[in-house]
Every structure is written in C-alpha cells, then in structure tokens.
Amino acid sequence: KLHFIGRRMEQGNALAAATGAHFFRGDLLDVPFVQHICKDMDGVVHCAARSGVWGDYEIYYRDNVIVTENLLRACAGSGARRFVNLSTPSIYFDFRDRLNVMEDFLPEHFADHYARTKYQAEVRVANAHSDQLRTLSLRPRMVLGAGDRNLFPRMIDMQKSGQLRRIGDGANIVSTTHIDNLLQALDCALFGPDSVTGDVYNIADAQPHPLWGMIDQLLQAVSLPPVTRQVAYPAAMLAAGVVETACRLLRREQEPQLMRLKVALLARSFTLNIDKARRKLGYRPVTTVDVAIAEFAQDWLRQHGDKSLR
C-alpha cells in the first residue's frame, strides 16, 4: 500500500481520496513521527525540501539536511530496502553557461543555500548506502506540467503585471523535465535492480529547448502576448544586486522578486547530460515540453478562466 506525508490537511485528504494512498500529516523534523511513518515500509521516496533562494543557511540546513538524516536513520531502523532521494541540478549552477553537464561536475562555489544543503543531503544519502538499505539520488531539471506552481505561474503573473523582460539575447537553452518523465525515473529508481543504487543520476527530457521560446509558447497557450521587452544582462544583474542589498539591510524576510540568481537562471544556458540515466537506470524520456505546456495551459485556463486574460 502507498503512503505519503505532508503538513496541509486539505490537500493531503484530497490527494488521498484521488489516489487511494494513505495520508500521514506531520513534520519530518519530529523524530518519533518519522520513525512511525517509516515502520514496515519497503521503500521510501524523499522529495520534501526547502527550496527558494532567500533565507538563513541554518533554516535550509535544518529542512534539507537534518530531515534527510532523520529519514535515513528511520529507514535503517525499520528494515526498509530502498531509499530514493529527489535532489537537484541546482548544485551545478555557477552563474555561467553550462551545457551537457555530467553528474561528476561540481562548481567551485554553490550559488545559494538551497544548492549547498541539497548537496550535503546527497552526501548523507550516499554514505547511508549499504546492502541492507540501498540508496540513490535523482537530479531532475525544471519539472513542468499540469499543476506547476513555480516557473510557469511566475512567468504568467509577471507578464500580466508588465514586469516580464527578456534578459540578454534570449538565445539560452535549458533542460526541462516533464512530470511524467520524472515519475518514470522514480519508478526505475524504486523498482529497478540493486545495480542502479549507490549512484546519482541527472534526469531531464530527451532534448533541451530555448527558454524564451518556451515562455512565449506558454504565454500564447494562455492567450497572453509574447515577451517584447528586453534588458541587457549586466543591467539586470546590477539592478538585482541593488534590490538584494536593500532587502538585506532592511532585514526583509520575504524573498525579493528580483535577485541575481533568478536573473542568471533566466539568461544562462543550462543543460544536462542524461546518458548515465539512460544506460544504467533504464530511463527513457518520451514526453516533451510541448506536452507540458499544453497540459499546464489547459489546467490553468480551467482554474482561472477569463481571469487569465486580465
């Protein structure tokens, strides 16, 4: 039987009703709770994390590293046989164009606390690998599809408010991952032979895409005009630096909308090599970003209707 955990009662109950899985409501920092939910589990997929690019290191460490340690200890004590960690290719990003990045690449410095602590969690997962508890990590890049609450909604909101600008020449290409492709990779990781464990894998769609062409395609699908305004990359980085500095001086807890990392991610090329996932994990991505955009737009228009045009 499938089980999942979360902290939001309404969403958890709705997902349980839709899937037939059992919902545990609780906090992964609560050690007795974690031990309880891991009891008698054959395998665990760990996809909880603190994301974002703003906030204190200690908070990211607590939510990304300590939580992972809690789960690993609970799994080791419960007899679980497989632990799949959902990590991130954000660990590679260093404000430069990076093409065909392989799993053994690490930058000289991590770009933010999220990337640093997710890598630290990966190290814990790798160190916990044994014949009794076999572990592995996946690094999916930019997960897209119906229900996305990150990139696509942000682009739509910025275009509707007149704030969206193409940064640089708009020719940068990026790897993306349709949610169905990620689910396939998770199946391979959870149910594959023991030989797939003890490793880390890049996960992405079969082909990268021009980021700004994809954004224009999204905007057209929700009946919004394409991006026509443009700003030079150095100017955008300068403005973002000013905003960040002001927010830090004012000790603002809310993440600024304009930040250097966000600017760089929208301007730089960033693609992954997925050869190892194909060869060793048995990963076969088939769903494309075109499908992701169409599915997202259909779901968005169903929820927002005429409001999406305003």
Side-chain angles (χ1 to χ4, degrees):
K1 183 177 175 61
L2 295 176
H3 302 75
F4 69 98
I5 69 101
R7 289 179 292 183
R8 298 180 181 178
M9 181 68 75
E10 184 177 350
Q11 292 181 348
N13 288 337
L15 184 58
T19 62
H22 180 78
F23 170 50
F24 285 109
R25 181 173 181 265
D27 191 328
L28 293 176
L29 290 167
D30 182 344
V31 173
F33 170 74
V34 174
Q35 293 172 338
H36 172 68
I37 62 173
C38 291
K39 186 179 180 181
D40 300 325
M41 293 294 149
D42 295 315
V44 171
V45 176
H46 173 33
C47 54
R50 175 173 291 275
S51 59
V53 294
W54 189 255
D56 294 334
Y57 170 78
E58 291 75 15
I59 297 175
Y60 282 89
Y61 185 88
R62 179 197 68 192
D63 291 350
N64 294 339
V65 181
I66 299 299
V67 161
T68 301
E69 292 176 342
N70 289 347
L71 284 165
L72 287 168
R73 281 194 294 266
C75 286
S78 71
R81 297 191 293 271
R82 186 73 58 96
F83 186 95
V84 181
N85 175 50
L86 204 63
S87 189
T88 174
S90 294
I91 65 173
Y92 304 134
F93 193 72
D94 59 357
F95 292 83
R96 302 178 184 179
D97 291 320
R98 293 291 181 187
L99 300 175
N100 206 36
V101 181
M102 300 182 71
E103 287 87 349
D104 59 356
F105 172 75
L106 277 181
E108 186 175 349
H109 302 287
F110 293 113
D112 61 357
H113 298 328
Y114 171 68
R116 181 177 295 105
T117 54
K118 287 294 285 183
Y119 181 72
Q120 291 170 334
E122 263 194 28
V123 171
R124 270 64 168 184
V125 172
N127 290 341
H129 177 67
S130 68
D131 289 340
Q132 290 72 42
L133 178 64
R134 295 185 175 270
T135 70
L136 67 158
S137 292
L138 306 181
R139 297 171 180 165
R141 165 69 176 150
M142 197 183 293
V143 181
L144 302 175
D148 172 30
R149 296 182 179 179
N150 187 20
L151 177 67
F152 282 175
R154 186 175 299 175
M155 296 299 102
I156 290 171
D157 289 344
M158 290 181 68
Q159 181 69 338
K160 287 166 62 177
S161 65
Q163 299 178 35
L164 189 58
R165 305 284 193 279
R166 183 177 285 106
I167 301 172
D169 60 11
N172 51 311
I173 60 173
V174 297
S175 287
T176 59
T177 311
H178 188 282
I179 183 61
D180 288 352
N181 291 334
L182 174 56
L183 292 175
Q184 183 214 136
L186 285 168
D187 277 348
C188 293
L190 194 58
F191 302 112
D194 287 346
S195 59
V196 308
T197 64
D199 215 334
V200 58
Y201 301 91
N202 289 338
I203 301 298
D205 297 336
Q207 298 295 331
H209 302 274
L211 174 64
W212 289 98
M214 184 175 70
I215 291 172
D216 280 342
Q217 185 179 345
L218 163 71
L219 296 174
Q220 181 181 22
V222 295
S223 302
L224 288 172
V227 181
T228 57
R229 286 165 290 191
Q230 188 169 344
V231 60
Y233 179 67
M237 288 293 282
L238 179 61
V242 171
V243 171
E244 284 184 53
T245 300
C247 289
R248 286 194 172 94
L249 289 173
L250 295 171
R251 300 182 180 274
R252 290 186 176 172
E253 294 185 3
Q254 186 174 359
E255 181 179 298
Q257 189 167 12
L258 184 62
M259 296 183 67
R260 287 170 292 181
L261 181 57
K262 294 179 182 180
V263 169
L265 286 169
L266 290 174
R268 295 303 194 188
S269 290
F270 189 13
T271 68
L272 303 184
N273 182 303
I274 59 172
D275 288 349
K276 184 165 72 169
R278 291 179 183 270
R279 181 184 68 253
K280 184 176 176 182
L281 192 63
Y283 175 59
R284 299 290 182 268
V286 295
T287 314
T288 66
V289 72
D290 293 334
V291 175
I293 291 171
E295 290 175 348
F296 174 85
Q298 183 180 22
D299 183 62
W300 178 269
L301 291 170
R302 178 183 59 81
Q303 293 187 52
H304 297 268
D306 291 340
K307 290 186 292 184
S308 65
L309 308 179
R310 299 172 190 168

PDB file of all heavy atoms in Angstrom, residues 170-206:
ATOM      1  N   GLY A 170      18.265  36.280 -25.341  1.00  0.00           N
ATOM      2  CA  GLY A 170      17.155  35.327 -25.360  1.00  0.00           C
ATOM      3  C   GLY A 170      17.451  34.036 -26.090  1.00  0.00           C
ATOM      4  O   GLY A 170      16.532  33.267 -26.374  1.00  0.00           O
ATOM      5  N   ALA A 171      18.725  33.759 -26.361  1.00  0.00           N
ATOM      6  CA  ALA A 171      19.083  32.553 -27.120  1.00  0.00           C
ATOM      7  C   ALA A 171      19.474  31.382 -26.221  1.00  0.00           C
ATOM      8  O   ALA A 171      19.854  30.324 -26.718  1.00  0.00           O
ATOM      9  CB  ALA A 171      20.239  32.868 -28.070  1.00  0.00           C
ATOM     10  N   ASN A 172      19.412  31.547 -24.907  1.00  0.00           N
ATOM     11  CA  ASN A 172      19.854  30.488 -23.997  1.00  0.00           C
ATOM     12  C   ASN A 172      18.940  29.271 -24.058  1.00  0.00           C
ATOM     13  O   ASN A 172      17.721  29.382 -24.214  1.00  0.00           O
ATOM     14  CB  ASN A 172      19.936  31.009 -22.563  1.00  0.00           C
ATOM     15  CG  ASN A 172      18.675  31.708 -22.093  1.00  0.00           C
ATOM     16  OD1 ASN A 172      18.138  32.579 -22.778  1.00  0.00           O
ATOM     17  ND2 ASN A 172      18.201  31.337 -20.919  1.00  0.00           N
ATOM     18  N   ILE A 173      19.544  28.082 -23.956  1.00  0.00           N
ATOM     19  CA  ILE A 173      18.794  26.828 -23.985  1.00  0.00           C
ATOM     20  C   ILE A 173      18.889  26.161 -22.625  1.00  0.00           C
ATOM     21  O   ILE A 173      19.887  26.303 -21.902  1.00  0.00           O
ATOM     22  CB  ILE A 173      19.291  25.885 -25.095  1.00  0.00           C
ATOM     23  CG1 ILE A 173      20.769  25.532 -24.896  1.00  0.00           C
ATOM     24  CG2 ILE A 173      19.061  26.506 -26.464  1.00  0.00           C
ATOM     25  CD1 ILE A 173      21.271  24.476 -25.857  1.00  0.00           C
ATOM     26  N   VAL A 174      17.836  25.403 -22.277  1.00  0.00           N
ATOM     27  CA  VAL A 174      17.773  24.788 -20.950  1.00  0.00           C
ATOM     28  C   VAL A 174      17.197  23.384 -21.046  1.00  0.00           C
ATOM     29  O   VAL A 174      16.433  23.068 -21.967  1.00  0.00           O
ATOM     30  CB  VAL A 174      16.902  25.611 -19.983  1.00  0.00           C
ATOM     31  CG1 VAL A 174      17.505  26.994 -19.759  1.00  0.00           C
ATOM     32  CG2 VAL A 174      15.469  25.726 -20.498  1.00  0.00           C
ATOM     33  N   SER A 175      17.569  22.564 -20.103  1.00  0.00           N
ATOM     34  CA  SER A 175      16.925  21.261 -19.938  1.00  0.00           C
ATOM     35  C   SER A 175      15.673  21.428 -19.087  1.00  0.00           C
ATOM     36  O   SER A 175      15.632  22.239 -18.162  1.00  0.00           O
ATOM     37  CB  SER A 175      17.868  20.270 -19.254  1.00  0.00           C
ATOM     38  OG  SER A 175      18.897  19.850 -20.112  1.00  0.00           O
ATOM     39  N   THR A 176      14.652  20.639 -19.415  1.00  0.00           N
ATOM     40  CA  THR A 176      13.416  20.602 -18.646  1.00  0.00           C
ATOM     41  C   THR A 176      13.057  19.141 -18.389  1.00  0.00           C
ATOM     42  O   THR A 176      13.621  18.234 -19.004  1.00  0.00           O
ATOM     43  CB  THR A 176      12.263  21.275 -19.412  1.00  0.00           C
ATOM     44  OG1 THR A 176      12.085  20.592 -20.675  1.00  0.00           O
ATOM     45  CG2 THR A 176      12.551  22.743 -19.677  1.00  0.00           C
ATOM     46  N   THR A 177      12.105  18.905 -17.493  1.00  0.00           N
ATOM     47  CA  THR A 177      11.661  17.540 -17.195  1.00  0.00           C
ATOM     48  C   THR A 177      10.149  17.513 -17.070  1.00  0.00           C
ATOM     49  O   THR A 177       9.587  18.096 -16.131  1.00  0.00           O
ATOM     50  CB  THR A 177      12.277  17.025 -15.876  1.00  0.00           C
ATOM     51  OG1 THR A 177      13.686  17.247 -15.871  1.00  0.00           O
ATOM     52  CG2 THR A 177      11.997  15.535 -15.705  1.00  0.00           C
ATOM     53  N   HIS A 178       9.486  16.847 -18.008  1.00  0.00           N
ATOM     54  CA  HIS A 178       8.038  16.661 -17.858  1.00  0.00           C
ATOM     55  C   HIS A 178       7.782  15.779 -16.642  1.00  0.00           C
ATOM     56  O   HIS A 178       8.516  14.831 -16.373  1.00  0.00           O
ATOM     57  CB  HIS A 178       7.450  16.014 -19.117  1.00  0.00           C
ATOM     58  CG  HIS A 178       5.949  15.978 -19.108  1.00  0.00           C
ATOM     59  ND1 HIS A 178       5.234  15.053 -18.378  1.00  0.00           N
ATOM     60  CD2 HIS A 178       5.030  16.749 -19.743  1.00  0.00           C
ATOM     61  CE1 HIS A 178       3.939  15.258 -18.557  1.00  0.00           C
ATOM     62  NE2 HIS A 178       3.785  16.285 -19.381  1.00  0.00           N
ATOM     63  N   ILE A 179       6.725  16.076 -15.902  1.00  0.00           N
ATOM     64  CA  ILE A 179       6.430  15.337 -14.676  1.00  0.00           C
ATOM     65  C   ILE A 179       6.304  13.840 -14.941  1.00  0.00           C
ATOM     66  O   ILE A 179       6.714  13.009 -14.114  1.00  0.00           O
ATOM     67  CB  ILE A 179       5.156  15.901 -14.001  1.00  0.00           C
ATOM     68  CG1 ILE A 179       4.874  15.178 -12.675  1.00  0.00           C
ATOM     69  CG2 ILE A 179       3.967  15.844 -14.932  1.00  0.00           C
ATOM     70  CD1 ILE A 179       5.941  15.311 -11.638  1.00  0.00           C
ATOM     71  N   ASP A 180       5.763  13.451 -16.103  1.00  0.00           N
ATOM     72  CA  ASP A 180       5.649  12.023 -16.408  1.00  0.00           C
ATOM     73  C   ASP A 180       7.024  11.377 -16.558  1.00  0.00           C
ATOM     74  O   ASP A 180       7.215  10.212 -16.176  1.00  0.00           O
ATOM     75  CB  ASP A 180       4.844  11.812 -17.687  1.00  0.00           C
ATOM     76  CG  ASP A 180       3.362  12.090 -17.504  1.00  0.00           C
ATOM     77  OD1 ASP A 180       2.938  12.298 -16.353  1.00  0.00           O
ATOM     78  OD2 ASP A 180       2.631  12.117 -18.515  1.00  0.00           O
ATOM     79  N   ASN A 181       7.972  12.114 -17.132  1.00  0.00           N
ATOM     80  CA  ASN A 181       9.330  11.578 -17.246  1.00  0.00           C
ATOM     81  C   ASN A 181       9.974  11.412 -15.872  1.00  0.00           C
ATOM     82  O   ASN A 181      10.688  10.434 -15.620  1.00  0.00           O
ATOM     83  CB  ASN A 181      10.183  12.479 -18.136  1.00  0.00           C
ATOM     84  CG  ASN A 181       9.760  12.426 -19.593  1.00  0.00           C
ATOM     85  OD1 ASN A 181       9.199  11.432 -20.054  1.00  0.00           O
ATOM     86  ND2 ASN A 181      10.026  13.494 -20.326  1.00  0.00           N
ATOM     87  N   LEU A 182       9.724  12.363 -14.983  1.00  0.00           N
ATOM     88  CA  LEU A 182      10.254  12.237 -13.627  1.00  0.00           C
ATOM     89  C   LEU A 182       9.640  11.025 -12.928  1.00  0.00           C
ATOM     90  O   LEU A 182      10.347  10.265 -12.246  1.00  0.00           O
ATOM     91  CB  LEU A 182       9.978  13.503 -12.826  1.00  0.00           C
ATOM     92  CG  LEU A 182      10.346  13.448 -11.334  1.00  0.00           C
ATOM     93  CD1 LEU A 182      11.810  13.080 -11.140  1.00  0.00           C
ATOM     94  CD2 LEU A 182      10.023  14.765 -10.655  1.00  0.00           C
ATOM     95  N   LEU A 183       8.336  10.828 -13.092  1.00  0.00           N
ATOM     96  CA  LEU A 183       7.692   9.680 -12.455  1.00  0.00           C
ATOM     97  C   LEU A 183       8.257   8.373 -12.995  1.00  0.00           C
ATOM     98  O   LEU A 183       8.416   7.400 -12.249  1.00  0.00           O
ATOM     99  CB  LEU A 183       6.175   9.751 -12.669  1.00  0.00           C
ATOM    100  CG  LEU A 183       5.467  10.895 -11.945  1.00  0.00           C
ATOM    101  CD1 LEU A 183       3.998  10.935 -12.326  1.00  0.00           C
ATOM    102  CD2 LEU A 183       5.617  10.763 -10.430  1.00  0.00           C
ATOM    103  N   GLN A 184       8.564   8.348 -14.294  1.00  0.00           N
ATOM    104  CA  GLN A 184       9.184   7.148 -14.852  1.00  0.00           C
ATOM    105  C   GLN A 184      10.548   6.902 -14.219  1.00  0.00           C
ATOM    106  O   GLN A 184      10.904   5.763 -13.875  1.00  0.00           O
ATOM    107  CB  GLN A 184       9.343   7.274 -16.367  1.00  0.00           C
ATOM    108  CG  GLN A 184       9.915   6.039 -17.025  1.00  0.00           C
ATOM    109  CD  GLN A 184      10.796   6.354 -18.210  1.00  0.00           C
ATOM    110  OE1 GLN A 184      11.863   5.776 -18.366  1.00  0.00           O
ATOM    111  NE2 GLN A 184      10.372   7.276 -19.057  1.00  0.00           N
ATOM    112  N   ALA A 185      11.335   7.973 -14.054  1.00  0.00           N
ATOM    113  CA  ALA A 185      12.648   7.835 -13.426  1.00  0.00           C
ATOM    114  C   ALA A 185      12.520   7.345 -11.986  1.00  0.00           C
ATOM    115  O   ALA A 185      13.324   6.516 -11.521  1.00  0.00           O
ATOM    116  CB  ALA A 185      13.389   9.170 -13.463  1.00  0.00           C
ATOM    117  N   LEU A 186      11.520   7.826 -11.277  1.00  0.00           N
ATOM    118  CA  LEU A 186      11.298   7.374  -9.904  1.00  0.00           C
ATOM    119  C   LEU A 186      10.935   5.895  -9.867  1.00  0.00           C
ATOM    120  O   LEU A 186      11.378   5.154  -8.973  1.00  0.00           O
ATOM    121  CB  LEU A 186      10.207   8.212  -9.241  1.00  0.00           C
ATOM    122  CG  LEU A 186      10.611   9.626  -8.832  1.00  0.00           C
ATOM    123  CD1 LEU A 186       9.397  10.451  -8.468  1.00  0.00           C
ATOM    124  CD2 LEU A 186      11.600   9.595  -7.670  1.00  0.00           C
ATOM    125  N   ASP A 187      10.132   5.447 -10.818  1.00  0.00           N
ATOM    126  CA  ASP A 187       9.813   4.021 -10.902  1.00  0.00           C
ATOM    127  C   ASP A 187      11.081   3.196 -11.125  1.00  0.00           C
ATOM    128  O   ASP A 187      11.285   2.156 -10.488  1.00  0.00           O
ATOM    129  CB  ASP A 187       8.828   3.760 -12.047  1.00  0.00           C
ATOM    130  CG  ASP A 187       7.388   4.019 -11.645  1.00  0.00           C
ATOM    131  OD1 ASP A 187       7.122   4.167 -10.444  1.00  0.00           O
ATOM    132  OD2 ASP A 187       6.531   4.084 -12.543  1.00  0.00           O
ATOM    133  N   CYS A 188      11.938   3.660 -12.040  1.00  0.00           N
ATOM    134  CA  CYS A 188      13.198   2.954 -12.302  1.00  0.00           C
ATOM    135  C   CYS A 188      14.069   2.904 -11.053  1.00  0.00           C
ATOM    136  O   CYS A 188      14.718   1.882 -10.772  1.00  0.00           O
ATOM    137  CB  CYS A 188      13.959   3.637 -13.436  1.00  0.00           C
ATOM    138  SG  CYS A 188      13.171   3.547 -15.064  1.00  0.00           S
ATOM    139  N   ALA A 189      14.082   4.002 -10.308  1.00  0.00           N
ATOM    140  CA  ALA A 189      14.920   4.081  -9.117  1.00  0.00           C
ATOM    141  C   ALA A 189      14.383   3.220  -7.983  1.00  0.00           C
ATOM    142  O   ALA A 189      15.150   2.580  -7.254  1.00  0.00           O
ATOM    143  CB  ALA A 189      15.028   5.536  -8.660  1.00  0.00           C
ATOM    144  N   LEU A 190      13.068   3.181  -7.843  1.00  0.00           N
ATOM    145  CA  LEU A 190      12.459   2.480  -6.711  1.00  0.00           C
ATOM    146  C   LEU A 190      12.353   0.975  -6.964  1.00  0.00           C
ATOM    147  O   LEU A 190      12.539   0.166  -6.043  1.00  0.00           O
ATOM    148  CB  LEU A 190      11.074   3.066  -6.433  1.00  0.00           C
ATOM    149  CG  LEU A 190      10.397   2.709  -5.107  1.00  0.00           C
ATOM    150  CD1 LEU A 190      11.262   3.122  -3.923  1.00  0.00           C
ATOM    151  CD2 LEU A 190       9.030   3.373  -5.010  1.00  0.00           C
ATOM    152  N   PHE A 191      12.078   0.600  -8.209  1.00  0.00           N
ATOM    153  CA  PHE A 191      11.797  -0.808  -8.502  1.00  0.00           C
ATOM    154  C   PHE A 191      12.850  -1.480  -9.374  1.00  0.00           C
ATOM    155  O   PHE A 191      12.736  -2.661  -9.693  1.00  0.00           O
ATOM    156  CB  PHE A 191      10.427  -0.928  -9.177  1.00  0.00           C
ATOM    157  CG  PHE A 191       9.302  -0.365  -8.356  1.00  0.00           C
ATOM    158  CD1 PHE A 191       8.631   0.780  -8.765  1.00  0.00           C
ATOM    159  CD2 PHE A 191       8.936  -0.966  -7.162  1.00  0.00           C
ATOM    160  CE1 PHE A 191       7.599   1.315  -8.008  1.00  0.00           C
ATOM    161  CE2 PHE A 191       7.904  -0.441  -6.398  1.00  0.00           C
ATOM    162  CZ  PHE A 191       7.232   0.697  -6.819  1.00  0.00           C
ATOM    163  N   GLY A 192      13.888  -0.736  -9.765  1.00  0.00           N
ATOM    164  CA  GLY A 192      14.945  -1.304 -10.584  1.00  0.00           C
ATOM    165  C   GLY A 192      15.816  -2.267  -9.795  1.00  0.00           C
ATOM    166  O   GLY A 192      15.713  -2.369  -8.569  1.00  0.00           O
ATOM    167  N   PRO A 193      16.717  -2.963 -10.470  1.00  0.00           N
ATOM    168  CA  PRO A 193      17.606  -3.902  -9.781  1.00  0.00           C
ATOM    169  C   PRO A 193      18.562  -3.180  -8.837  1.00  0.00           C
ATOM    170  O   PRO A 193      18.760  -1.964  -8.947  1.00  0.00           O
ATOM    171  CB  PRO A 193      18.358  -4.580 -10.932  1.00  0.00           C
ATOM    172  CG  PRO A 193      18.310  -3.589 -12.053  1.00  0.00           C
ATOM    173  CD  PRO A 193      16.987  -2.904 -11.933  1.00  0.00           C
ATOM    174  N   ASP A 194      19.164  -3.932  -7.948  1.00  0.00           N
ATOM    175  CA  ASP A 194      20.085  -3.331  -6.983  1.00  0.00           C
ATOM    176  C   ASP A 194      21.247  -2.612  -7.657  1.00  0.00           C
ATOM    177  O   ASP A 194      21.838  -1.701  -7.076  1.00  0.00           O
ATOM    178  CB  ASP A 194      20.633  -4.414  -6.041  1.00  0.00           C
ATOM    179  CG  ASP A 194      19.596  -4.890  -5.040  1.00  0.00           C
ATOM    180  OD1 ASP A 194      18.557  -4.218  -4.898  1.00  0.00           O
ATOM    181  OD2 ASP A 194      19.828  -5.932  -4.403  1.00  0.00           O
ATOM    182  N   SER A 195      21.558  -2.993  -8.885  1.00  0.00           N
ATOM    183  CA  SER A 195      22.689  -2.387  -9.590  1.00  0.00           C
ATOM    184  C   SER A 195      22.487  -0.908  -9.885  1.00  0.00           C
ATOM    185  O   SER A 195      23.451  -0.193 -10.159  1.00  0.00           O
ATOM    186  CB  SER A 195      22.960  -3.133 -10.896  1.00  0.00           C
ATOM    187  OG  SER A 195      21.811  -3.103 -11.743  1.00  0.00           O
ATOM    188  N   VAL A 196      21.249  -0.404  -9.828  1.00  0.00           N
ATOM    189  CA  VAL A 196      21.013   1.018 -10.100  1.00  0.00           C
ATOM    190  C   VAL A 196      21.293   1.875  -8.868  1.00  0.00           C
ATOM    191  O   VAL A 196      21.369   3.106  -8.972  1.00  0.00           O
ATOM    192  CB  VAL A 196      19.569   1.285 -10.595  1.00  0.00           C
ATOM    193  CG1 VAL A 196      19.221   0.382 -11.759  1.00  0.00           C
ATOM    194  CG2 VAL A 196      18.543   1.137  -9.470  1.00  0.00           C
ATOM    195  N   THR A 197      21.442   1.251  -7.709  1.00  0.00           N
ATOM    196  CA  THR A 197      21.594   2.014  -6.468  1.00  0.00           C
ATOM    197  C   THR A 197      23.050   2.402  -6.235  1.00  0.00           C
ATOM    198  O   THR A 197      23.945   1.993  -6.965  1.00  0.00           O
ATOM    199  CB  THR A 197      21.052   1.214  -5.273  1.00  0.00           C
ATOM    200  OG1 THR A 197      21.843   0.028  -5.106  1.00  0.00           O
ATOM    201  CG2 THR A 197      19.601   0.828  -5.488  1.00  0.00           C
ATOM    202  N   GLY A 198      23.249   3.208  -5.187  1.00  0.00           N
ATOM    203  CA  GLY A 198      24.594   3.668  -4.867  1.00  0.00           C
ATOM    204  C   GLY A 198      25.132   4.693  -5.840  1.00  0.00           C
ATOM    205  O   GLY A 198      26.348   4.850  -5.975  1.00  0.00           O
ATOM    206  N   ASP A 199      24.250   5.432  -6.495  1.00  0.00           N
ATOM    207  CA  ASP A 199      24.685   6.365  -7.529  1.00  0.00           C
ATOM    208  C   ASP A 199      23.759   7.569  -7.560  1.00  0.00           C
ATOM    209  O   ASP A 199      22.771   7.648  -6.826  1.00  0.00           O
ATOM    210  CB  ASP A 199      24.691   5.666  -8.896  1.00  0.00           C
ATOM    211  CG  ASP A 199      25.823   6.142  -9.797  1.00  0.00           C
ATOM    212  OD1 ASP A 199      26.284   7.287  -9.606  1.00  0.00           O
ATOM    213  OD2 ASP A 199      26.239   5.384 -10.681  1.00  0.00           O
ATOM    214  N   VAL A 200      24.071   8.517  -8.450  1.00  0.00           N
ATOM    215  CA  VAL A 200      23.264   9.721  -8.631  1.00  0.00           C
ATOM    216  C   VAL A 200      23.061   9.927 -10.124  1.00  0.00           C
ATOM    217  O   VAL A 200      23.956   9.626 -10.929  1.00  0.00           O
ATOM    218  CB  VAL A 200      23.943  10.944  -7.981  1.00  0.00           C
ATOM    219  CG1 VAL A 200      25.325  11.179  -8.542  1.00  0.00           C
ATOM    220  CG2 VAL A 200      23.087  12.193  -8.115  1.00  0.00           C
ATOM    221  N   TYR A 201      21.870  10.426 -10.510  1.00  0.00           N
ATOM    222  CA  TYR A 201      21.511  10.492 -11.918  1.00  0.00           C
ATOM    223  C   TYR A 201      20.890  11.845 -12.277  1.00  0.00           C
ATOM    224  O   TYR A 201      19.981  12.322 -11.589  1.00  0.00           O
ATOM    225  CB  TYR A 201      20.485   9.406 -12.264  1.00  0.00           C
ATOM    226  CG  TYR A 201      20.948   8.001 -11.993  1.00  0.00           C
ATOM    227  CD1 TYR A 201      20.692   7.405 -10.755  1.00  0.00           C
ATOM    228  CD2 TYR A 201      21.633   7.261 -12.955  1.00  0.00           C
ATOM    229  CE1 TYR A 201      21.107   6.108 -10.492  1.00  0.00           C
ATOM    230  CE2 TYR A 201      22.045   5.963 -12.701  1.00  0.00           C
ATOM    231  CZ  TYR A 201      21.786   5.399 -11.469  1.00  0.00           C
ATOM    232  OH  TYR A 201      22.204   4.110 -11.213  1.00  0.00           O
ATOM    233  N   ASN A 202      21.364  12.436 -13.377  1.00  0.00           N
ATOM    234  CA  ASN A 202      20.665  13.560 -13.985  1.00  0.00           C
ATOM    235  C   ASN A 202      19.391  13.054 -14.637  1.00  0.00           C
ATOM    236  O   ASN A 202      19.395  12.007 -15.307  1.00  0.00           O
ATOM    237  CB  ASN A 202      21.524  14.222 -15.061  1.00  0.00           C
ATOM    238  CG  ASN A 202      22.689  14.994 -14.510  1.00  0.00           C
ATOM    239  OD1 ASN A 202      22.683  15.398 -13.354  1.00  0.00           O
ATOM    240  ND2 ASN A 202      23.702  15.218 -15.335  1.00  0.00           N
ATOM    241  N   ILE A 203      18.314  13.829 -14.495  1.00  0.00           N
ATOM    242  CA  ILE A 203      17.037  13.483 -15.119  1.00  0.00           C
ATOM    243  C   ILE A 203      16.526  14.708 -15.876  1.00  0.00           C
ATOM    244  O   ILE A 203      16.468  15.808 -15.323  1.00  0.00           O
ATOM    245  CB  ILE A 203      16.000  13.047 -14.068  1.00  0.00           C
ATOM    246  CG1 ILE A 203      16.499  11.829 -13.282  1.00  0.00           C
ATOM    247  CG2 ILE A 203      14.653  12.760 -14.734  1.00  0.00           C
ATOM    248  CD1 ILE A 203      16.738  10.588 -14.115  1.00  0.00           C
ATOM    249  N   ALA A 204      16.161  14.510 -17.138  1.00  0.00           N
ATOM    250  CA  ALA A 204      15.622  15.602 -17.955  1.00  0.00           C
ATOM    251  C   ALA A 204      14.890  15.001 -19.148  1.00  0.00           C
ATOM    252  O   ALA A 204      14.970  13.790 -19.408  1.00  0.00           O
ATOM    253  CB  ALA A 204      16.741  16.530 -18.429  1.00  0.00           C
ATOM    254  N   ASP A 205      14.180  15.856 -19.883  1.00  0.00           N
ATOM    255  CA  ASP A 205      13.573  15.434 -21.148  1.00  0.00           C
ATOM    256  C   ASP A 205      14.670  15.097 -22.143  1.00  0.00           C
ATOM    257  O   ASP A 205      15.846  15.432 -21.944  1.00  0.00           O
ATOM    258  CB  ASP A 205      12.677  16.542 -21.696  1.00  0.00           C
ATOM    259  CG  ASP A 205      11.510  16.866 -20.780  1.00  0.00           C
ATOM    260  OD1 ASP A 205      11.113  15.995 -19.976  1.00  0.00           O
ATOM    261  OD2 ASP A 205      10.987  18.001 -20.853  1.00  0.00           O
ATOM    262  N   ALA A 206      14.273  14.474 -23.240  1.00  0.00           N
ATOM    263  CA  ALA A 206      15.259  13.999 -24.219  1.00  0.00           C
ATOM    264  C   ALA A 206      16.038  15.136 -24.858  1.00  0.00           C
ATOM    265  O   ALA A 206      17.227  14.984 -25.170  1.00  0.00           O
ATOM    266  CB  ALA A 206      14.564  13.163 -25.286  1.00  0.00           C
TER     267      ALA A 206
END
